[in-house]
Amino acid sequence: MKMYISVFKLRFYNGLQYRAAALAGVATQFFWGFLIIMVFQAFYSHAEGTQPISLPQLTTYVWLQQAFLAFIMLWFRDNELFQLITSGNIAYELCRPSGIYNFWYAKLLAQRVSSALLRSLPILGIAFFLPRSYRLSLPPDPATLVLFLVTLVIGLFVLVSVSMLIYISVFVTMSPVGSLLIFSVAGEFLSGSIIPIPLMPDWLQDIVRLFPFHLSADFPFRVYSGHIPKEAALAGIVSQLLWLAFLILVGRAAMNRALRRVVVQGG
Amino acid sequence: MITVKGISKSFKVPRRSAGMGQALKSLFRREYTVVHALSDISFSIEPGEIVGYIGPNGAGKSTTIKVMSGILVPDSGTCTIMGYTPWRDRVRYVKRIGVVFGQRSQLWWDVPVIDSFELLRDIYDVPEREYRDTLDLLTETLDLKHIVNTPVRQLSLGQRMRCEIAASLLHSPSVLFLDEPTIGLDAVSKIAVRQFIRTINKEKGVTIILTTHDMNDIEALARRILLIGKGSLLYDGSLQELRSRFGTRKTITADYMERQEPLAIPGVSIVSWTPERAVLSVDTEQVMMSEALTRLAEQVDLLDVAIDTQPIEDIIVQLYKEYQIS
């Protein structure tokens, strides 16, 4: 356990070094947040009848998306791991007394957490004090906040388990481009990052629920605004845990298979 | 301590000829050739030995190291090191070995060296006191004091390699695999690295297996060498024995007072000759060195004589020829 904490720490320090990138990230995320909120305001003001999610709830949804970008985006990647595989430096990882799966899992987790801390804290701090129509609202009650934090953390673990599959696929394909593209395009859509899931037609929502992607983004954000009631949130946590167990089992099995046939590239 | 028996390993390598047509064709049908990286390698190594593992590029040296360090699974054969089978008991086994790949890096690029060391301490679960002691020893013998707090990307190759070697020894392994540890280093760094290898072998009794292309490494360190070529083990024995079997030729370079007639010494071939200087080659199995020198002295007024043993490189080249490896 100590080793995972240690690698987490080191990766975390490493991530904290990139302050300029974080600052630029915050600016971009603000820009996007405003843009998307304005688009939805325009839609809502011309739409008839009631929408499946209220505008303040949607605004909150958008700000949370921007703030926790590092927790929900599959294109967020660790190039170092890809290089380890394609250049053959993985030789060193393989002579460590630890499972590579856990080791990399800790690295990826740390990378996302360090990036989120640098990017999300400033966004959250400012979004609470924006003019009313753009404001990030507080959760309805403390219990909801707790539920949100729990679902957010489990959601992060689910996402990292999915992204592990991308890294494992590189053992076979030797290039991260393909799997990264498929996973990030499909994942982004199915997690509601392009169109919020409540605004999707019912048949599309049914498809989205077949995949784990919405569990790391859409689900916690709707729990936060109270759009998903508490009982449903608890059921969602169970489904998150089941997916997590399944993804980790698949990932470990795939990793073991890949390692048995591994070829260390480059002599 | 280390017993390797009948290890074989082959790789399937995709290949195609140059050109667009061939590239398109390989989209549909890929052709593979099977490369036998290792075939039927067997040897055993005693605790505390330093063994030099040599051979031309692509001979299978690194593959052997990777099999012995549990990274690659061989197609057949057995390997027992300290009672473990490397690829089967990988996690327990690798705790007791250290590996340095001269062409790769295990240090984190953007952070000071000491951070990588501390991560390794936690990965190998080394107790704090033991870690301190080992680190002090390594810092002193490898002269790391001024570089451990520098980010790795700002180190020179020689400095980095010293840190890499230290990193592989933090957990006090009983066996150390060094895969080209002196590659790209200058003469001073090479000597420092060799000196260090000798020290840990002597003082801590670490068994060392070393691959290299630098014959000076071998001459300075290894009492025993394993020669591998095209995946097969060709020679296993001491350097001296190899020398006496293949390196019986010695070179005499003689300067003398000017003399116009060429030299003629029976059993000695003349490599080059001028009226003041001659280079002679003597096969000591046929002509005694003293005999050759006496004859030489009879014919000319010697000013200076230098006798050189055939360099080990030449012996290896000769061996390659003999076994038809290229």
Side-chain angles (χ1 to χ4, degrees), chain A residues 2-3 6-7 10-11 14 17-18 87-89 91-92 94-98 103 262 265-267, chain B residues 66 71-73 90-91 94-95 99-101 104-106 108 110-111 115 119-120 122-124 164:
Chain A
K2 201 168 149 202
M3 120 171 60
S6 190
V7 71
L10 191 50
R11 196 77 194 75
N14 223 350
Q17 286 181 2
Y18 307 109
S87 71
N89 269 342
Y92 269 124
L94 284 167
C95 49
R96 301 279 179 245
S98 69
F103 198 65
V262 72
Q265 306 290 326
Chain B
K66 281 169 198 151
I71 295 170
L72 293 181
V73 183
R90 196 182 70 82
V91 171
V94 293
K95 273 203 150 184
V99 190
V100 176
F101 296 105
R104 311 189 185 284
S105 179
Q106 60 181 323
W108 288 49
D110 289 322
V111 295
D115 281 348
L119 176 63
L120 286 167
D122 292 342
I123 287 178
Y124 286 98
E164 297 275 359

Side-chain angles (χ1 to χ4, degrees), chain B residues 54-274:
Chain B
I54 53 176
N57 283 328
K61 299 185 300 289
S62 295
T63 306
T64 316
I65 297 284
K66 281 169 198 151
V67 167
M68 288 200 287
S69 50
I71 295 170
L72 293 181
V73 183
D75 300 337
S76 63
T78 58
C79 173
T80 316
I81 301 177
M82 296 177 287
Y84 300 102
T85 299
W87 55 93
R88 240 174 248 133
D89 314 308
R90 196 182 70 82
V91 171
R92 266 177 305 152
Y93 165 70
V94 293
K95 273 203 150 184
R96 303 193 47 196
I97 63 162
V99 190
V100 176
F101 296 105
Q103 307 191 47
R104 311 189 185 284
S105 179
Q106 60 181 323
L107 304 167
W108 288 49
W109 192 245
D110 289 322
V111 295
V113 180
I114 192 74
D115 281 348
S116 293
F117 283 0
E118 281 176 10
L119 176 63
L120 286 167
R121 172 196 64 194
D122 292 342
I123 287 178
Y124 286 98
D125 206 9
V126 184
E128 184 61 34
R129 260 202 69 155
E130 212 182 302
Y131 169 74
R132 285 271 143 238
D133 292 347
T134 317
L135 187 62
D136 286 346
L137 180 77
L138 291 171
T139 310
E140 196 184 314
T141 44
L142 281 169
D143 193 18
L144 303 179
K145 203 166 162 196
H146 301 289
I147 53 180
V148 285
N149 293 316
T150 316
V152 176
R153 61 183 136 83
Q154 277 156 359
L155 296 179
S156 72
L157 183 62
Q159 290 173 326
R160 208 195 77 208
M161 191 55 68
R162 273 161 26 215
C163 294
E164 297 275 359
I165 293 175
S168 297
L169 286 163
L170 286 171
H171 57 291
S172 315
S174 330
V175 179
L176 181 62
F177 296 100
L178 298 165
D179 193 3
E180 303 188 24
T182 55
I183 197 164
L185 298 188
D186 64 21
V188 178
S189 303
K190 273 183 183 175
I191 289 170
V193 166
R194 278 178 211 146
Q195 183 64 41
F196 174 75
I197 294 172
R198 218 176 295 135
T199 310
I200 53 157
N201 172 257
K202 222 177 241 158
E203 289 181 8
K204 293 191 143 191
V206 179
T207 310
I208 292 165
I209 292 106
L210 166 91
T211 81
T212 182
H213 287 290
D214 186 336
M215 289 307 156
N216 295 323
D217 285 350
I218 298 287
E219 283 188 81
L221 291 170
R223 257 147 282 155
R224 175 176 167 200
I225 57 172
L226 298 171
L227 176 70
I228 184 176
K230 290 216 171 138
S232 311
L233 198 62
L234 303 175
Y235 175 82
D236 177 357
S238 71
L239 194 59
Q240 284 83 349
E241 199 191 311
L242 188 69
R243 272 244 169 79
S244 62
R245 256 174 66 188
F246 298 96
T248 49
R249 279 198 171 275
K250 289 191 198 283
T251 308
I252 304 173
T253 309
D255 292 305
Y256 40 79
M257 303 288 278
E258 189 174 332
R259 187 187 129 99
Q260 290 303 327
E261 305 96 276
L263 295 168
I265 302 169
V268 175
S269 54
I270 293 162
V271 181
S272 69
W273 179 87
T274 64

Side-chain angles (χ1 to χ4, degrees), chain A residues 38-49:
Chain A
M38 285 175 197
V39 169
F40 282 122
Q41 281 174 344
F43 277 139
Y44 271 60
S45 63
H46 294 285
E48 311 223 326

